[in-house]
Amino acid sequence: MTAHGTIDRPLTHDPLKQALMTPDTTSEQPHGSAHADFITAGAITSRQNRTREMQLIPEAMARAHMDDRMREADAERHALRLLAARRMQRRAERVSLRARRALAMAVMH
């Protein structure tokens, strides 16, 4: 008699080495037991997905870092444009006052 192991006590914990689950037609399966089409491919793909996700973490972190840097650069450019606009506005106001004074001086004399 060969012992195949059970779900609670498998022969091995490695999903690659576990035998495929096949339906047992001789006994009535309890309610909530594993379906007959369950294979270890699910475990393999989930493990591969985790590995792929782990490999993509540095790329995602670099992308988030670059997004932060781009936002900071945009904010800095916006602040510099605002400063330049205020500087030009003050210059325009001074020129306007100078022109008004010159016009007043011309009218007075």
Side-chain angles (χ1 to χ4, degrees), residues 1 3 12-13 18 26 28 32-33 36 41 44-45 52 54-55 59 61 63 67 74 80-81 83 85 92 97 104 108:
M1 177 178 172
T12 177
H13 291 289
Q18 288 179 3
T26 58
E28 184 67 29
S33 63
I44 295 168
T45 56
R52 192 175 303 125
M54 292 293 280
Q55 288 173 348
E59 184 180 334
M61 288 177 65
R63 191 176 298 119
D67 286 343
D74 287 341
L80 288 175
R81 268 189 254 125
L83 260 169
L97 279 175
M108 292 278 222

Side-chain angles (χ1 to χ4, degrees), residues 13 19 21 28 36 41 47 51 59-60 63 66 71 76-77 80 82 85 91-92 95 99 103 108:
H13 291 289
M21 293 184 69
E28 184 67 29
R47 185 165 50 190
T51 303
E59 184 180 334
R63 191 176 298 119
M66 287 304 297
R71 256 186 255 114
E76 190 173 341
R77 275 194 296 271
L80 288 175
L82 188 61
R91 180 182 289 173
V95 169
L103 183 64
M108 292 278 222

Side-chain angles (χ1 to χ4, degrees), residues 78-97:
H78 182 70
L80 288 175
R81 268 189 254 125
L82 188 61
L83 260 169
R86 286 182 181 164
R87 197 178 306 124
M88 286 189 277
Q89 183 180 5
R90 285 195 301 266
R91 180 182 289 173
E93 288 171 358
R94 282 196 305 267
V95 169
S96 173
L97 279 175

Side-chain angles (χ1 to χ4, degrees), residues 30-56:
H31 180 71
S33 63
H35 295 290
D37 60 347
F38 175 81
I39 57 172
T40 58
I44 295 168
T45 56
S46 71
R47 185 165 50 190
Q48 286 174 344
N49 285 341
R50 274 183 272 144
T51 303
R52 192 175 303 125
E53 289 168 9
M54 292 293 280
Q55 288 173 348
L56 294 178

